[in-house]
Amino acid sequence: GAAVGGAAGALIGHQMDKQVLFAFDSDQLGTTARGNLHTVAASLEKYPNTKALVVGHTDGVGSGAYNMDLSERRASAAARFSR
């Protein structure tokens, strides 16, 4: 989910509740993830003063260092696609 304030907060917050899921051990965006990011990007384009924070997550499999790298790659993939 997302916390968004201001006059457009309800609309944008609803759109940002779209999930972006990745396959196990992957930073590649799938078809559903791309569609959800298109929806979010369209909302952000309507409100250019809105700021978004993109954060990646992983499961607990693997080392902390590996998962941190994977999380960052996932967040970067989503942010790049949304621009």
Side-chain angles (χ1 to χ4, degrees):
V4 181
L11 174 64
I12 296 171
H14 173 71
Q15 296 300 323
M16 287 187 178
D17 280 340
K18 304 286 186 189
Q19 290 188 359
V20 177
L21 301 176
F22 292 86
F24 178 75
D25 197 29
S26 175
D27 62 1
Q28 301 299 304
L29 294 167
T31 303
T32 302
R34 288 174 182 266
N36 289 343
L37 285 171
H38 272 300
T39 301
V40 172
S43 293
L44 291 173
E45 285 179 10
K46 289 181 185 178
Y47 305 98
N49 292 327
T50 301
K51 295 181 181 179
L53 174 65
V54 179
V55 180
H57 294 277
T58 63
D59 58 22
V61 177
S63 71
Y66 180 82
N67 285 335
M68 178 59 74
D69 179 66
L70 180 58
S71 294
E72 290 172 356
R73 288 187 285 129
R74 287 176 170 178
S76 292
R80 277 192 313 274
F81 184 83
S82 298
R83 290 187 191 144

